[in-house]
Amino acid sequence: MAGGERAEVFSGFMVNAWVVATMVAVVGGAIGFFIVMRSSAFVAHAIPNGSFAGAAGATLVGANPLLGLAVFSLAGALGISLLGRRARHDVATALTLVFMLGLGSLFLSFRVEDAEAVYSLLFGEVLGIGSNQVWPTLALSLASLLALALLWRPLLLDSVLPGSARGSSRVRLELAFLVIVALATTMTVPVVGTALIFSLMVGPAAAARAFTVRPHVALALSVALAVVIVWIAIAWSYNTNWPIGFFVGALSASAFLIGRAWSVASRRLGGARHRAPAGELSP
Amino acid sequence: MATLLHAIVEPGFFSSAPVRLAAEMGALVAIVAAVVGVFTVVRGQAFSGEALGDIGATGGASAYLAGISSVWGFVGISVLAAAAMELIGVQRARGRDIATGVVLGAGFGLAALLIYLGTLQTSTSGSTVTILFGSPFTLSPSDLPLVLGFGALVLVTLAALYRPLLLASISPELAAARGLPVRLIGVAYLMALAVAVALSAVTIGAILSTALLVGPAATALALTNRPGRALALAAMIGVAATWLGLLLAYDSYYWPPRHHGWPPSFFIVALVLIGYLAVAARRGGGRRGAR
Amino acid sequence: MDQPALDVASVTVQFGSRRVLDGVTFQLRRGEFTGLIGSNGAGKTTLLRVILGQQSPDQGTVTIAGGRHGAVGYVPQKFLLDPDMPLRGRDLVALGLDGHRLGLPRPSRQRRERVQAMLAAVGAERFADARVGRLSGGEQQRILIAHALISEPQLLLLDEPLANLDLRSAKEVVSLLAQIAREQRIAVLISAHEMNPLLPVMDRVVYLADGRAVSGTTDEVIRTDVLSHLYGHHVDVLRLHGRVVVVAGDIDDHHADHGVLEVD
């Protein structure tokens, strides 16, 4: 990489990209910690992916796409929560997702195919972020982080011992969590795309869990990894002109694999200490 | 009576060759998806199904880069993704979710790159819409034998493994105690899932592949407590939703105000969801919210 | 006497530096009802896994009369079926007959009748057509016993089958198992941390503590001198109103838990 290019990566309109992408990474990494704890990667996939239809619907009626994203991601969270009371959680998530996408295909069919816009919604357009996106993103990230901080202990307890919160309070907690995911989705999808936010929510957090058993450390590590991944991805994307989504996906998966290798190695070295209890028949 | 029928079925529905091909292919993949789906729902692997369909669709849409048939591209990439999930650890119920997510994230990333490279070559990015929403019923008649072959392969595999797979899905412990290779059965099932989902993704689109995988199966499981009947019911619901959806989509060309064709995927998804909700509501409350 | 249904000889299992099983030796004969007694963590489940062939012992051998598969029926611990599982008790029992076979099941009168007879034998006819995940713990237990027995094993293993049952269901299951052992000449091995529900019907006992085992009739094993030797420190075996209580001499010792459990 030439020195001149390196300087340019940090200059001009790129500053907005750095700032916004860093906020997205912080929020993604923090929410990801709970996504991994609660084994709800499917939800992290479904809400952003399904909310995409909202953007399509909003442009159809001439509204702000951000509004469409917000409405659809919240509706998705609500739908998953409502259906999930009756059915298995993964079935509820799948049905909600496909219905939102079905609506999306309907909205798209009314418009002349706008492939360029669809592509950037899916895979993000981090390099084209304007300064007008900085403040809304900042506000939404602060709201998400604040909500996570408020719910930190109940969420953690419920993730570890799913039976401890009962009945309606458990449903409310789950709904609150889904709404946080929806908030984060609204803010991040226009920036990094549905595909990316999912990678950022799963890979770094899953990797972090391999390195530490302490929740605060895991959270911090998850956020740090997400930020590093996004920074590297922006730099590489800028220099190669390849889509940033590729780098984020590949780096997240690599982080996860390194975490896996680490935990396998430490289990080998640690011997009996980490062995599964004799009674556990892993299915 | 004839006028009523005429009002429901717009003229030309049954005589149109593309519609007939769509109905045949749609029914075929609906049956395969529903049968695989019953096991998917019982095993709690809906996310695996969705992820494999998405990866198959995103990656497979780029198959034209390599110049191979899209059916092979979809199925090949989906099977590769299934193998990756298996290697990462899709077997343990708790790790499965994350393993699936990581493979899906990486798959999306790769798809972004392939589409970008594709745009450089062809200077269009029209495939993106195809990727997310699929492009229902644009396959040529020459693909029918291939789809038929893969579908039959999936059904034969499931028929051969029926009893061990059922036992291992109910309880891995009971299956292991009988000396059944639970992990191998899981891998075989995951491969069947990958092929089935890729097949429906390439024929009728990625959204529909998940809808037809999960919806009819979940509906059937709520209706009966006999595994054989659940399979038959799921297949029937899948085919019914597909055909009715096609019919409505065809009719929608004549609907005011715009006389614009609504996409079949919207109708089929809506029908599947309505069917499921009707059955779930009939069954009433008092059910524990399983995670 | 015929060949033992199960011969466990000097089985040792080591996880890292921890010996989970240490030279465990005992035999089971057909028609006998045996309790595998030990507190949590004594190695009961590991021993059952070794017998099932799911864990290979570091030393020692396990011999099952009549070969491996089909010769052992197994009822796992804490079995909770999903309430949404579309499956009748009848189907699960049928899978016990041919769940390992490839291909679709061919419905036959003989198969149906065998399943029906097995359901009758365990007293599960009444709820055989309900969704199996919605049955009570005791009802599920009966279906699982039928599932394990229908392949006509010589040996039936049950891992803590009484743990989730109320007293009445536990009594019913125990007497059902004792009856099956006698009538069908099957060796039944049932693990439990509480021996009292088993005392009335138990022919023999295998007592596990810290991975070591003693076996024999109840009178031979449940004695102050034998168990003190097994635990490596003094324990008292008290008999109160037909119940047996094992009390550790040293209350600080973790075996005190065991004593308390037995009193309960």
Coordinates of all heavy atoms in Angstrom, one line a residue, chain B residues 38 42-43 158-167 169-180 220-228 230-231 283 287-288 290, chain C residues 52 54 69 72 74-77 79 81-88 91-92 95-106 111 129-131 134 144 147 150-151:
Chain B
V38 N -40.7 -31.5 7.4 CA -41.2 -32.2 8.7 C -40.1 -32.5 9.6 O -40.1 -32.3 10.8 CB -42.1 -33.4 8.3 CG1 -42.4 -34.2 9.5 CG2 -43.4 -33.0 7.6
V42 N -39.1 -30.8 13.3 CA -38.9 -31.7 14.4 C -37.5 -31.6 15.0 O -37.4 -31.5 16.2 CB -39.2 -33.2 14.0 CG1 -38.7 -34.1 15.1 CG2 -40.7 -33.4 13.8
R43 N -36.5 -31.4 14.2 CA -35.2 -31.3 14.6 C -34.8 -29.9 15.0 O -33.7 -29.6 15.5 CB -34.2 -31.8 13.6 CG -34.4 -33.3 13.2 CD -33.6 -33.6 12.0 NE -32.1 -33.6 12.2 CZ -31.4 -34.6 12.7 NH1 -32.0 -35.7 12.9 NH2 -30.1 -34.5 12.9
L158 N -34.4 -40.0 2.1 CA -35.2 -39.9 3.3 C -36.0 -41.1 3.5 O -36.2 -41.6 4.7 CB -36.2 -38.7 3.2 CG -35.5 -37.3 3.4 CD1 -36.6 -36.2 3.5 CD2 -34.7 -37.3 4.6
A159 N -36.5 -41.8 2.5 CA -37.3 -43.0 2.6 C -36.4 -44.1 3.2 O -36.7 -44.8 4.1 CB -37.9 -43.4 1.3
A160 N -35.1 -44.1 2.7 CA -34.2 -45.2 3.1 C -33.9 -45.0 4.6 O -33.8 -45.9 5.4 CB -32.9 -45.2 2.3
L161 N -33.7 -43.7 5.0 CA -33.3 -43.4 6.4 C -34.5 -43.2 7.3 O -34.3 -42.8 8.5 CB -32.4 -42.2 6.4 CG -31.0 -42.3 5.8 CD1 -30.3 -41.0 5.8 CD2 -30.2 -43.3 6.6
Y162 N -35.7 -43.4 6.8 CA -36.9 -42.9 7.5 C -36.9 -43.3 9.0 O -36.9 -42.4 9.9 CB -38.1 -43.5 6.9 CG -39.4 -43.1 7.6 CD1 -39.8 -41.8 7.5 CD2 -40.2 -44.0 8.3 CE1 -41.0 -41.4 8.1 CE2 -41.3 -43.6 8.9 CZ -41.7 -42.3 8.8 OH -42.9 -41.9 9.4
R163 N -36.8 -44.6 9.3 CA -36.9 -45.0 10.8 C -35.7 -44.5 11.6 O -35.9 -43.9 12.7 CB -37.1 -46.5 10.9 CG -38.6 -46.8 10.6 CD -38.8 -48.3 10.5 NE -38.3 -48.8 9.3 CZ -38.5 -50.1 9.0 NH1 -39.2 -50.9 9.7 NH2 -38.0 -50.6 7.8
P164 N -34.4 -44.8 11.2 CA -33.3 -44.3 12.0 C -33.4 -42.7 12.2 O -33.1 -42.2 13.2 CB -32.1 -44.7 11.2 CG -32.5 -45.8 10.4 CD -34.0 -45.6 10.1
L165 N -33.7 -42.0 11.1 CA -33.8 -40.6 11.2 C -34.8 -40.1 12.1 O -34.6 -39.2 12.9 CB -34.0 -40.0 9.8 CG -34.1 -38.5 9.6 CD1 -32.9 -37.8 10.2 CD2 -34.4 -38.1 8.2
L166 N -36.0 -40.8 12.1 CA -37.1 -40.4 13.0 C -36.6 -40.6 14.4 O -36.8 -39.7 15.3 CB -38.3 -41.3 12.6 CG -39.6 -40.8 13.2 CD1 -40.0 -39.4 12.8 CD2 -40.7 -41.8 12.9
L167 N -36.0 -41.8 14.7 CA -35.6 -42.1 16.1 C -34.5 -41.1 16.5 O -34.6 -40.6 17.6 CB -35.1 -43.5 16.1 CG -34.8 -44.0 17.5 CD1 -36.1 -44.0 18.4 CD2 -34.3 -45.5 17.5
S169 N -34.1 -38.1 15.5 CA -34.7 -36.8 15.6 C -35.5 -36.7 16.9 O -35.5 -35.6 17.6 CB -35.6 -36.4 14.4 OG -34.9 -36.6 13.2
I170 N -36.1 -37.8 17.3 CA -36.9 -37.8 18.6 C -35.9 -37.7 19.7 O -36.1 -36.9 20.6 CB -37.8 -39.0 18.7 CG1 -38.8 -39.0 17.6 CG2 -38.4 -39.2 20.0 CD1 -39.3 -40.4 17.3
S171 N -35.0 -38.6 19.7 CA -34.0 -38.6 20.8 C -32.7 -39.2 20.3 O -32.6 -40.4 20.1 CB -34.6 -39.5 21.9 OG -33.5 -39.9 22.8
P172 N -31.7 -38.4 20.2 CA -30.3 -38.9 19.8 C -29.9 -39.9 20.8 O -29.2 -40.9 20.4 CB -29.4 -37.6 19.9 CG -30.4 -36.5 19.9 CD -31.7 -36.9 20.4
E173 N -30.3 -39.8 22.1 CA -29.8 -40.8 23.1 C -30.4 -42.2 22.8 O -29.7 -43.2 22.9 CB -30.3 -40.3 24.4 CG -29.3 -39.6 25.3 CD -29.9 -39.3 26.6 OE1 -30.8 -38.6 26.8 OE2 -29.4 -39.9 27.6
L174 N -31.7 -42.2 22.5 CA -32.3 -43.5 22.3 C -31.6 -44.2 21.0 O -31.4 -45.4 21.0 CB -33.8 -43.4 22.1 CG -34.6 -43.2 23.3 CD1 -36.1 -43.1 22.9 CD2 -34.5 -44.4 24.3
A175 N -31.4 -43.3 20.0 CA -30.8 -43.8 18.8 C -29.4 -44.3 19.0 O -29.0 -45.4 18.6 CB -30.8 -42.7 17.7
A176 N -28.6 -43.6 19.8 CA -27.2 -44.0 20.1 C -27.2 -45.3 20.9 O -26.4 -46.1 20.7 CB -26.5 -42.9 20.9
A177 N -28.2 -45.5 21.8 CA -28.2 -46.7 22.6 C -28.5 -47.9 21.7 O -28.1 -49.0 22.1 CB -29.3 -46.6 23.7
R178 N -29.2 -47.7 20.6 CA -29.4 -48.8 19.7 C -28.2 -49.0 18.8 O -28.3 -49.8 17.8 CB -30.6 -48.6 18.8 CG -31.8 -48.2 19.5 CD -33.0 -48.4 18.6 NE -33.9 -49.3 19.3 CZ -34.1 -50.6 19.0 NH1 -33.7 -51.1 17.9 NH2 -34.9 -51.3 19.7
G179 N -27.2 -48.3 19.0 CA -26.0 -48.4 18.1 C -26.1 -47.7 16.8 O -25.4 -48.0 15.9
L180 N -27.1 -46.8 16.6 CA -27.2 -46.1 15.4 C -26.1 -45.0 15.3 O -25.9 -44.3 16.3 CB -28.6 -45.4 15.3 CG -29.7 -46.4 15.0 CD1 -31.0 -45.6 15.1 CD2 -29.6 -47.1 13.7
A220 N -48.8 -29.0 9.4 CA -49.2 -30.5 9.4 C -48.9 -31.0 10.8 O -49.7 -31.8 11.4 CB -48.4 -31.2 8.4
L221 N -47.8 -30.6 11.4 CA -47.4 -31.1 12.7 C -48.4 -30.7 13.8 O -48.6 -31.4 14.8 CB -46.0 -30.7 13.1 CG -44.9 -31.2 12.3 CD1 -43.6 -30.8 12.8 CD2 -45.0 -32.7 12.3
A222 N -49.1 -29.5 13.5 CA -50.1 -29.1 14.5 C -51.4 -29.9 14.3 O -52.2 -29.9 15.2 CB -50.3 -27.6 14.4
L223 N -51.5 -30.5 13.2 CA -52.8 -31.1 12.9 C -52.9 -32.6 13.2 O -53.9 -33.1 13.5 CB -53.1 -31.0 11.4 CG -53.7 -29.6 10.9 CD1 -53.7 -29.6 9.4 CD2 -55.0 -29.4 11.5
T224 N -51.7 -33.3 13.2 CA -51.8 -34.7 13.4 C -50.7 -35.1 14.4 O -49.7 -34.4 14.5 CB -51.6 -35.5 12.1 OG1 -51.5 -36.9 12.4 CG2 -50.3 -35.1 11.4
N225 N -50.8 -36.3 15.0 CA -49.8 -36.8 15.9 C -49.2 -38.1 15.3 O -48.7 -38.9 16.1 CB -50.2 -36.9 17.3 CG -51.4 -37.8 17.5 OD1 -51.9 -38.4 16.5 ND2 -52.0 -37.8 18.7
R226 N -49.4 -38.3 14.0 CA -48.8 -39.5 13.4 C -47.8 -39.1 12.4 O -48.1 -38.3 11.5 CB -49.9 -40.3 12.8 CG -50.9 -40.7 13.9 CD -52.1 -41.4 13.3 NE -51.8 -42.7 12.7 CZ -52.7 -43.6 12.5 NH1 -53.9 -43.4 12.8 NH2 -52.3 -44.7 11.9
P227 N -46.6 -39.5 12.5 CA -45.5 -39.1 11.6 C -45.8 -39.3 10.1 O -45.5 -38.4 9.3 CB -44.3 -39.9 12.0 CG -44.7 -40.9 13.0 CD -46.1 -40.5 13.5
G228 N -46.3 -40.4 9.7 CA -46.6 -40.7 8.3 C -47.6 -39.7 7.8 O -47.5 -39.2 6.7
A230 N -48.3 -36.8 9.0 CA -47.7 -35.4 9.0 C -47.0 -35.2 7.6 O -47.1 -34.1 7.0 CB -46.8 -35.2 10.1
L231 N -46.2 -36.2 7.2 CA -45.5 -36.1 5.9 C -46.5 -35.9 4.7 O -46.3 -35.0 3.9 CB -44.7 -37.4 5.7 CG -43.5 -37.5 6.6 CD1 -42.8 -38.9 6.4 CD2 -42.4 -36.5 6.3
R283 N -56.0 -24.5 17.5 CA -55.5 -25.3 18.6 C -55.6 -24.6 19.9 O -55.5 -25.2 21.0 CB -54.1 -25.7 18.3 CG -53.8 -27.1 18.7 CD -52.5 -27.5 18.0 NE -51.6 -26.4 17.8 CZ -50.3 -26.4 17.9 NH1 -49.7 -27.4 18.3 NH2 -49.6 -25.3 17.6
R287 N -50.2 -23.2 25.4 CA -49.0 -23.9 25.0 C -47.8 -23.1 25.4 O -47.7 -21.9 25.4 CB -49.0 -24.0 23.5 CG -50.4 -24.4 22.9 CD -50.4 -25.3 21.7 NE -49.1 -25.3 21.1 CZ -48.1 -26.1 21.4 NH1 -48.3 -26.9 22.4 NH2 -47.0 -26.1 20.8
R288 N -46.8 -23.9 25.8 CA -45.6 -23.3 26.3 C -44.9 -22.7 25.2 O -44.9 -23.3 24.1 CB -44.8 -24.4 27.1 CG -43.5 -24.8 26.5 CD -43.3 -26.3 26.6 NE -43.3 -26.8 25.3 CZ -42.1 -26.9 24.6 NH1 -41.0 -26.5 25.2 NH2 -42.1 -27.3 23.4
A290 N -41.9 -22.4 23.3 CA -40.6 -23.1 23.2 C -39.6 -22.2 22.5 O -39.9 -21.4 21.7 CB -40.7 -24.4 22.5
Chain C
L52 N -23.2 -49.6 27.5 CA -23.8 -49.4 26.2 C -22.8 -49.3 25.0 O -23.2 -49.3 23.9 CB -24.6 -48.1 26.2 CG -25.9 -48.2 26.9 CD1 -26.5 -46.8 27.2 CD2 -26.9 -49.0 26.1
Q54 N -20.8 -46.7 24.6 CA -20.6 -45.4 24.1 C -19.4 -44.7 24.7 O -19.0 -43.6 24.4 CB -21.9 -44.5 24.6 CG -23.1 -44.9 23.8 CD -24.3 -44.2 24.3 OE1 -24.3 -43.5 25.3 NE2 -25.4 -44.5 23.6
H69 N -25.8 -55.5 19.8 CA -27.0 -54.7 19.5 C -28.2 -55.6 19.7 O -28.3 -56.7 19.4 CB -26.9 -54.1 18.1 CG -25.7 -53.2 18.0 ND1 -25.6 -52.2 18.9 CD2 -24.7 -53.1 17.2 CE1 -24.5 -51.5 18.6 NE2 -23.9 -52.1 17.5
V72 N -29.3 -55.2 24.4 CA -29.5 -54.2 25.5 C -30.6 -53.3 25.3 O -30.7 -52.6 24.2 CB -28.2 -53.4 25.7 CG1 -28.3 -52.5 27.0 CG2 -27.0 -54.3 25.9
Y74 N -32.4 -49.8 26.7 CA -31.9 -48.7 27.4 C -33.0 -47.6 27.6 O -33.7 -47.2 26.6 CB -30.7 -48.1 26.7 CG -30.1 -46.8 27.3 CD1 -29.7 -46.8 28.7 CD2 -30.1 -45.7 26.6 CE1 -29.1 -45.7 29.2 CE2 -29.5 -44.5 27.2 CZ -29.1 -44.5 28.5 OH -28.6 -43.4 29.0
V75 N -33.1 -47.1 28.8 CA -34.0 -46.0 29.0 C -33.2 -44.8 29.6 O -32.7 -44.9 30.7 CB -35.2 -46.3 30.0 CG1 -36.0 -45.1 30.4 CG2 -36.0 -47.5 29.5
P76 N -33.0 -43.7 28.8 CA -32.1 -42.7 29.3 C -32.7 -41.9 30.5 O -33.8 -41.9 30.8 CB -31.9 -41.8 28.1 CG -33.1 -42.1 27.2 CD -33.6 -43.5 27.5
Q77 N -31.8 -41.1 31.0 CA -32.1 -40.2 32.1 C -32.8 -39.0 31.7 O -32.6 -38.5 30.6 CB -30.8 -39.8 32.8 CG -30.9 -39.1 34.1 CD -29.5 -38.8 34.7 OE1 -28.5 -38.8 34.0 NE2 -29.5 -38.4 35.9
F79 N -35.6 -38.0 30.6 CA -36.1 -38.0 29.2 C -37.3 -37.1 29.1 O -38.3 -37.3 29.7 CB -36.5 -39.4 28.9 CG -36.6 -39.6 27.4 CD1 -35.5 -39.8 26.6 CD2 -37.9 -39.5 26.8 CE1 -35.7 -40.0 25.3 CE2 -38.0 -39.7 25.5 CZ -36.9 -39.9 24.7
L81 N -39.6 -35.5 26.1 CA -39.8 -35.3 24.7 C -40.5 -34.0 24.4 O -41.2 -33.5 25.3 CB -40.8 -36.4 24.3 CG -40.1 -37.8 24.1 CD1 -41.1 -38.9 24.0 CD2 -39.2 -37.8 22.8
D82 N -40.2 -33.5 23.3 CA -40.8 -32.2 22.9 C -42.3 -32.4 22.7 O -42.8 -33.4 22.1 CB -40.2 -31.8 21.5 CG -40.5 -30.4 21.2 OD1 -41.7 -30.0 21.3 OD2 -39.6 -29.6 20.9
P83 N -43.1 -31.5 23.4 CA -44.6 -31.7 23.3 C -45.1 -31.6 21.8 O -46.2 -32.1 21.5 CB -45.1 -30.5 24.1 CG -44.0 -30.0 24.9 CD -42.7 -30.4 24.2
D84 N -44.3 -30.9 21.0 CA -44.8 -30.8 19.6 C -44.4 -31.9 18.7 O -44.7 -31.9 17.5 CB -44.2 -29.5 19.0 CG -44.8 -28.3 19.6 OD1 -46.0 -28.4 20.1 OD2 -44.2 -27.2 19.7
M85 N -43.7 -32.9 19.2 CA -43.2 -34.0 18.4 C -44.4 -34.8 17.9 O -45.3 -35.3 18.7 CB -42.3 -34.9 19.3 CG -41.6 -35.9 18.5 SD -40.2 -35.2 17.7 CE -39.1 -34.8 19.0
P86 N -44.6 -34.9 16.6 CA -45.8 -35.6 16.1 C -45.6 -37.1 16.2 O -45.3 -37.7 15.2 CB -45.8 -35.1 14.6 CG -44.4 -34.9 14.3 CD -43.7 -34.6 15.5
L87 N -45.9 -37.6 17.3 CA -45.6 -39.0 17.5 C -46.4 -39.6 18.6 O -46.5 -39.0 19.7 CB -44.1 -39.1 17.8 CG -43.5 -40.5 17.7 CD1 -43.0 -40.6 16.2 CD2 -42.3 -40.6 18.6
R88 N -47.0 -40.7 18.3 CA -47.8 -41.4 19.4 C -46.9 -42.3 20.2 O -45.8 -42.7 19.6 CB -48.9 -42.2 18.8 CG -49.9 -41.4 18.0 CD -50.8 -42.3 17.2 NE -50.0 -43.1 16.2 CZ -50.5 -44.1 15.6 NH1 -51.8 -44.4 15.7 NH2 -49.8 -44.8 14.7
D91 N -46.0 -45.2 18.2 CA -45.0 -45.1 17.1 C -43.6 -45.3 17.7 O -42.7 -45.9 17.1 CB -45.1 -43.8 16.4 CG -46.4 -43.6 15.7 OD1 -46.9 -44.5 15.1 OD2 -47.0 -42.5 15.9
L92 N -43.4 -44.7 18.9 CA -42.1 -44.8 19.6 C -41.8 -46.3 19.9 O -40.7 -46.7 19.8 CB -42.1 -43.9 20.8 CG -40.7 -43.8 21.5 CD1 -39.7 -43.3 20.5 CD2 -40.8 -42.7 22.6
L95 N -40.8 -48.1 16.9 CA -39.4 -47.8 16.5 C -38.4 -48.6 17.3 O -37.3 -48.8 16.9 CB -39.1 -46.3 16.7 CG -39.6 -45.4 15.6 CD1 -39.4 -43.9 15.9 CD2 -39.0 -45.7 14.2
G96 N -38.9 -49.0 18.5 CA -38.0 -49.9 19.3 C -37.8 -51.2 18.7 O -36.8 -51.9 18.8
L97 N -38.8 -51.6 17.9 CA -38.7 -52.9 17.2 C -37.8 -52.8 16.0 O -37.0 -53.7 15.8 CB -40.2 -53.3 16.7 CG -40.4 -54.7 16.3 CD1 -40.2 -55.6 17.4 CD2 -41.9 -54.8 15.8
D98 N -37.9 -51.8 15.2 CA -37.2 -51.7 13.9 C -36.6 -50.4 13.6 O -36.5 -50.0 12.4 CB -38.1 -52.3 12.8 CG -39.4 -51.5 12.7 OD1 -39.5 -50.4 13.3 OD2 -40.3 -52.0 12.0
G99 N -36.4 -49.5 14.6 CA -35.9 -48.2 14.4 C -34.5 -48.1 13.7 O -34.2 -47.1 13.1
H100 N -33.8 -49.2 13.7 CA -32.5 -49.2 13.1 C -32.5 -49.7 11.6 O -31.5 -49.7 10.9 CB -31.6 -50.2 13.9 CG -32.1 -51.5 14.0 ND1 -33.2 -51.8 14.9 CD2 -31.8 -52.7 13.4 CE1 -33.4 -53.1 14.8 NE2 -32.6 -53.7 13.9
R101 N -33.7 -50.1 11.2 CA -33.8 -50.6 9.8 C -33.9 -49.5 8.8 O -34.5 -48.5 9.0 CB -35.1 -51.5 9.7 CG -35.0 -52.7 10.5 CD -34.6 -53.9 9.6 NE -34.5 -55.1 10.5 CZ -35.5 -55.9 10.8 NH1 -36.7 -55.6 10.4 NH2 -35.3 -57.0 11.5
L102 N -33.3 -49.8 7.6 CA -33.5 -48.8 6.5 C -34.8 -49.0 5.8 O -35.4 -50.1 5.9 CB -32.3 -48.9 5.5 CG -30.9 -48.6 6.1 CD1 -29.8 -48.7 5.1 CD2 -30.9 -47.2 6.7
G103 N -35.2 -48.0 5.1 CA -36.4 -48.2 4.3 C -37.7 -47.8 5.0 O -37.6 -47.7 6.3
L104 N -38.7 -47.6 4.3 CA -40.0 -47.3 4.9 C -40.6 -48.5 5.7 O -40.4 -49.6 5.2 CB -41.0 -46.8 3.9 CG -40.6 -45.4 3.2 CD1 -41.6 -45.2 2.1 CD2 -40.7 -44.3 4.2
P105 N -41.3 -48.2 6.8 CA -41.9 -49.4 7.5 C -43.0 -49.9 6.7 O -43.9 -49.2 6.2 CB -42.3 -48.8 8.8 CG -42.5 -47.3 8.5 CD -41.5 -47.0 7.4
R106 N -43.1 -51.3 6.6 CA -44.3 -51.9 5.9 C -45.3 -52.2 7.0 O -44.9 -53.0 7.9 CB -43.8 -53.1 5.1 CG -43.9 -52.8 3.6 CD -43.2 -53.9 2.8 NE -41.8 -53.7 2.8 CZ -40.8 -54.5 3.2 NH1 -41.2 -55.7 3.7 NH2 -39.6 -54.2 3.1
R111 N -46.6 -56.9 13.1 CA -45.9 -55.8 13.8 C -46.9 -55.1 14.7 O -46.6 -54.7 15.9 CB -45.4 -54.9 12.7 CG -44.6 -53.7 13.2 CD -44.0 -53.0 11.9 NE -43.1 -51.9 12.3 CZ -43.4 -50.6 12.3 NH1 -44.6 -50.3 12.0 NH2 -42.5 -49.7 12.6
D129 N -52.2 -43.6 22.1 CA -52.5 -42.9 20.9 C -52.4 -41.4 21.1 O -52.7 -40.6 20.2 CB -53.9 -43.3 20.4 CG -53.8 -44.7 19.8 OD1 -53.0 -45.0 19.0 OD2 -54.7 -45.5 20.2
A130 N -52.0 -41.0 22.3 CA -51.8 -39.5 22.6 C -50.4 -39.1 22.1 O -49.6 -40.0 21.9 CB -52.0 -39.2 24.0
R131 N -50.2 -37.8 21.9 CA -48.9 -37.3 21.5 C -48.0 -37.6 22.7 O -48.2 -37.2 23.8 CB -49.0 -35.8 21.2 CG -47.9 -35.3 20.3 CD -48.2 -34.0 19.8 NE -49.0 -34.0 18.6 CZ -48.8 -33.1 17.6 NH1 -47.9 -32.1 17.8 NH2 -49.5 -33.1 16.5
R134 N -46.8 -35.0 25.4 CA -47.7 -34.4 26.3 C -48.1 -35.4 27.4 O -48.9 -35.0 28.3 CB -49.0 -34.1 25.5 CG -48.8 -33.3 24.2 CD -49.2 -31.9 24.4 NE -48.7 -31.1 23.3 CZ -49.5 -30.7 22.3 NH1 -50.8 -31.1 22.3 NH2 -49.0 -30.0 21.3
L144 N -41.3 -45.6 27.3 CA -39.9 -45.9 27.0 C -39.5 -47.3 27.4 O -38.6 -47.9 26.7 CB -39.0 -44.8 27.8 CG -39.1 -43.4 27.2 CD1 -38.4 -42.5 28.1 CD2 -38.4 -43.5 25.8
H147 N -40.6 -49.3 24.6 CA -39.6 -49.1 23.5 C -38.4 -50.0 23.7 O -37.9 -50.5 22.7 CB -39.3 -47.6 23.4 CG -38.1 -47.3 22.5 ND1 -38.3 -47.0 21.2 CD2 -36.8 -47.2 22.8 CE1 -37.1 -46.8 20.7 NE2 -36.2 -46.9 21.6
I150 N -39.2 -54.1 23.5 CA -39.9 -54.8 22.4 C -38.9 -55.5 21.6 O -39.3 -56.5 20.9 CB -40.8 -53.8 21.6 CG1 -41.8 -54.6 20.8 CG2 -39.9 -52.9 20.8 CD1 -42.9 -53.8 20.2
S151 N -37.6 -55.1 21.6 CA -36.7 -55.9 20.8 C -36.2 -57.1 21.6 O -35.2 -57.7 21.2 CB -35.5 -55.0 20.4 OG -35.0 -54.4 21.6

